Amino acid sequence: DTEVTQTPKHLVMGMTNKKSLKCEQHMGHRAMYWYKQKAKKPPELMFVYSYEKLSINESVPSRFSPECPNSSLLNLHLHALQPEDSALYLCASSQGSRASGGYNEQFFGPGTRLTVL
Amino acid sequence: AQSVTQLDSQVPVFEEAPVELRCNYSSSVSVYLFWYVQYPNQGLQLLLKYLSGSTLVESINGFEAEFNKSQTSFHLRKPSVHISDTAEYFCAVAYSSASKIIFGSGTRLSIRP
């Protein structure tokens, strides 16, 4: 299995809602990432988990809360979002920095398109 | 500062014509280079990568890129494009085995019949 899956594909939520995005991989990767991508822009890194521990938080507002319940799963909990948070949210995974050898390339999921009303 | 520059935001090309998408990165001793493709309404797919070894790397669908250390470039080329190549192409770089990927701003390749 060489896929990263993300659910749901589309999500529409109000500013007072609480929702979660889910990401899953079964490649044995130990690093997982959340990116935010606005239209016609490159992905922006939000969070990195390495060996189930949060290793990078790119100064993301607390209304985004990541969670890594195990090595295959990554969640992004959303609460009190703003309309400007509407974007494509991409999950990615890689082998992990402790793996031997050169750079560990990232494999991306198809994304969740989030609309905040 | 570490950066990636894609000078062309859009490249319109006729079908079956050759294309080159340009990418330059800020110089460093070690560098890992990538081209990702994003088809409409989809996530990113790795098209090809340079980690070490041969400076010319190829993808399975006819694209190639050449790592040029002296010019700090990693341009993407295809001798004959198809309508199905219509997509956004992102050049990306990592400066060490543990560093983040830095993405360029992207180039939209549009193919005219």
Side-chain angles (χ1 to χ4, degrees):
Chain A
D1 185 354
T2 58
E3 261 195 323
V4 177
T5 59
Q6 291 187 243
T7 54
K9 286 190 73 171
H10 301 275
L11 179 62
V12 180
M13 60 186 290
M15 289 191 285
T16 58
N17 292 157
K18 281 186 183 181
K19 295 286 184 184
S20 296
L21 309 184
K22 181 179 170 182
C23 173
E24 196 164 1
Q25 57 87 16
H26 295 287
M27 294 180 276
H29 289 174
R30 302 310 298 272
M32 296 186 77
Y33 311 75
W34 279 116
Y35 288 85
K36 174 182 176 180
Q37 186 181 25
K38 301 285 274 186
K40 301 185 195 291
K41 296 289 186 185
E44 300 171 21
L45 183 65
M46 300 174 72
F47 302 103
V48 180
Y49 272 83
S50 180
Y51 291 78
E52 293 98 71
K53 288 186 167 38
L54 183 65
S55 61
I56 295 177
N57 177 342
E58 292 286 313
S59 303
V60 179
S62 59
R63 56 186 185 270
F64 295 92
S65 174
E67 179 198 18
C68 189
N70 60 57
S71 60
S72 300
L73 277 176
L74 184 67
N75 298 320
L76 186 62
H77 302 299
L78 314 172
H79 175 53
L81 295 195
Q82 304 296 311
E84 59 265 28
D85 296 322
S86 298
L88 181 68
Y89 287 84
L90 294 164
C91 174
S93 70
S94 68
Q95 272 190 296
S97 60
R98 296 180 205 172
S100 61
Y103 190 82
N104 297 306
E105 64 187 82
Q106 293 181 26
F107 293 79
F108 283 82
T112 294
R113 190 161 298 281
L114 174 68
T115 303
V116 182
L117 300 175
Chain B
Q2 298 168 343
S3 65
V4 181
T5 303
Q6 292 181 250
L7 287 171
D8 306 305
S9 60
Q10 288 192 66
V11 173
V13 181
F14 285 107
E15 195 173 16
E16 297 184 8
V19 70
E20 178 180 82
L21 306 184
R22 295 180 293 169
C23 174
N24 289 88
Y25 61 93
S26 54
S27 181
S28 178
V29 173
S30 68
V31 67
Y32 305 95
L33 295 157
F34 310 88
W35 276 100
Y36 282 89
V37 59
Q38 187 171 32
Y39 298 103
N41 300 312
Q42 293 189 28
L44 271 71
Q45 299 175 32
L46 181 66
L47 188 61
L48 44 76
K49 63 187 177 187
Y50 169 79
L51 302 181
S52 65
S54 173
T55 57
L56 183 66
V57 290
E58 298 175 355
S59 72
I60 57 172
N61 56 354
F63 283 95
E64 65 177 32
E66 186 160 19
F67 168 54
N68 189 320
K69 190 172 183 177
S70 62
Q71 296 186 8
T72 61
S73 68
F74 192 55
H75 301 328
L76 182 69
R77 300 184 183 96
K78 188 169 184 179
S80 175
V81 295
H82 301 119
I83 291 283
S84 58
D85 294 324
T86 298
E88 188 87 22
Y89 291 80
F90 292 99
C91 182
V93 62
Y95 287 93
S96 73
S97 61
S99 75
K100 303 181 291 188
I101 285 180
I102 300 171
F103 285 94
S105 54
T107 297
R108 181 170 298 275
L109 178 62
S110 57
I111 312 297
R112 300 169 176 169

